[in-house]
Amino acid sequence: MANRHAAPHRKRKSKRKERPLLGTALVLCFCTLAFVFAGFLWQEALRTSTQVPERQTGSDDDFRPQVGDPPYRVAIDAGHGGSDPGARGVVEEKDVTAATASALLQWLEQDSNYIPLQTRESFDVTATPAERAAAARAQAPQLLLSVHANSAANGSTAAGFECYPSVPGRTWHAESFYFARLLASGMQAAGASLRGRGGVRYIYYLENDQKQLVESTHTEVRAERSFTLLEDVDCPAVLAEQCFVTSAEDVERFGSEEGCRKVARIYYEAVCAYFGTQPLPE
């Protein structure tokens, strides 16, 4: 009788010993998985924090374009012209762009560090943006500046400077953005108000051929095209809107004959800063 009762008692005691061991194993397994998962999260966080956003690549103060040795080939495009007056207001846009481009080309012609290029033979010649872009590309420029002036609806008090570099995702975006900042900085120093975030913005053409303006903080790569003069030249390129022809005050400061000469000097100094040369004295 004693032996029959002893065996079942030993089995129950053995089962009670197995349960703590099983619980310990589960805890250890859970801790191991938690440790591995935490390590994965840490690595992902470290990888993400060390990635450089595209805007920082183009706008970081340490960025400098690789320019090689002079002389540098710089293309100057005067917007509109010929039978295309562009925007109309106190003055016509084509007169502002021609006067500014002419004065800028004179500075570049005097400076042995530069070979000035034009997108057409004369400012009186009518040429589409595509034709001017093709003419510029054929001359293999190392930098292009397209000069324009802005306008606003009747009654608007809009004024100020803004410029448009090649958009994110394009080959020369970083260099274009760098040059755009130099242009905006020079205009601001001369007393111009900067539109948007620091005077640098992007333009995209939507499917209905409507233009969409976005600030330079929008660094996502988009499929839509920007200005033809930015897209169809194989070099850093910026389109500058130096003043509003619909603002008498803006025109007086930056769109009159004297104002255009002032802006041309600002543009020339920005070109020199881009390539790292010393500007000629005024």
Side-chain angles (χ1 to χ4, degrees):
M1 292 293 293
N3 290 337
R4 283 200 304 270
H5 290 293
H9 178 72
R10 284 193 298 270
K11 288 180 182 179
R12 285 194 299 270
K13 186 175 181 181
S14 176
K15 287 180 182 179
R16 283 196 298 269
K17 288 181 179 180
E18 290 173 359
R19 286 171 186 161
L21 292 175
L22 180 60
T24 301
L26 289 174
V27 170
L28 289 174
C29 181
F30 176 81
C31 291
T32 301
L33 289 174
F35 179 79
V36 171
F37 184 68
F40 171 78
L41 290 178
W42 179 81
Q43 288 182 335
E44 279 296 295
L46 181 62
R47 181 183 65 82
T48 302
S49 66
T50 56
Q51 289 179 337
V52 179
E54 186 173 358
R55 167 81 297 61
Q56 292 181 356
T57 300
S59 66
D60 192 271
D61 290 338
D62 293 333
F63 174 81
R64 292 294 182 274
Q66 300 298 313
V67 298
D69 298 322
Y72 304 110
R73 303 172 66 83
V74 180
I76 305 302
D77 172 67
H80 307 280
S83 62
D84 176 13
R88 285 174 166 164
V90 181
V91 292
E92 289 188 344
E93 181 179 2
K94 72 173 185 178
D95 294 333
V96 173
T97 65
T100 306
S102 177
L104 175 55
L105 286 166
Q106 289 179 14
W107 280 116
L108 294 173
E109 287 166 358
Q110 295 173 44
D111 193 332
S112 61
N113 288 307
Y114 298 99
I115 299 174
L117 310 171
Q118 297 187 62
T119 57
R120 54 188 163 186
E121 293 182 359
S122 168
F123 301 135
D124 294 329
V125 173
T126 303
T128 66
E131 291 170 338
R132 298 187 337 254
R137 186 184 180 106
Q139 300 175 80
Q142 294 166 272
L143 184 69
L144 179 139
L145 174 61
S146 183
V147 181
H148 284 257
N150 224 329
S151 66
N154 290 338
S156 173
T157 59
F161 173 87
E162 61 191 20
C163 62
Y164 301 89
S166 178
V167 297
R170 305 305 193 260
T171 302
W172 301 104
H173 164 64
E175 291 82 356
S176 301
F177 186 81
Y178 178 81
F179 183 46
R181 290 181 66 202
L182 293 173
L183 294 168
S185 177
M187 289 297 292
Q188 184 178 42
S193 61
L194 300 183
R195 294 171 57 80
R197 293 181 63 88
V200 181
R201 296 170 140 179
Y202 300 128
I203 280 285
Y204 295 95
Y205 282 89
L206 307 181
E207 291 183 357
N208 57 3
D209 207 34
Q210 293 295 309
K211 288 188 291 188
Q212 183 184 48
L213 182 154
V214 300
E215 300 300 340
S216 58
T217 50
H218 290 267
T219 60
E220 65 275 9
V221 176
R222 297 175 51 166
E224 297 96 336
R225 280 174 59 85
S226 185
F227 289 120
T228 298
L229 264 299
L230 305 181
E231 295 281 8
D232 294 348
V233 294
D234 187 20
C235 69
V238 176
L239 187 149
E241 301 272 13
Q242 69 190 50
C243 67
F244 274 74
V245 298
T246 48
S247 167
E249 181 181 354
D250 226 15
V251 169
E252 182 179 358
R253 299 179 68 188
F254 304 112
S256 62
E257 186 176 342
E258 181 182 351
C260 289
R261 287 196 297 267
K262 179 194 299 184
V263 174
R265 176 68 191 192
I266 294 169
Y267 291 168
Y268 166 65
E269 291 179 355
V271 170
C272 292
Y274 179 90
F275 287 104
T277 67
Q278 185 67 32
L280 296 174
E282 292 191 72

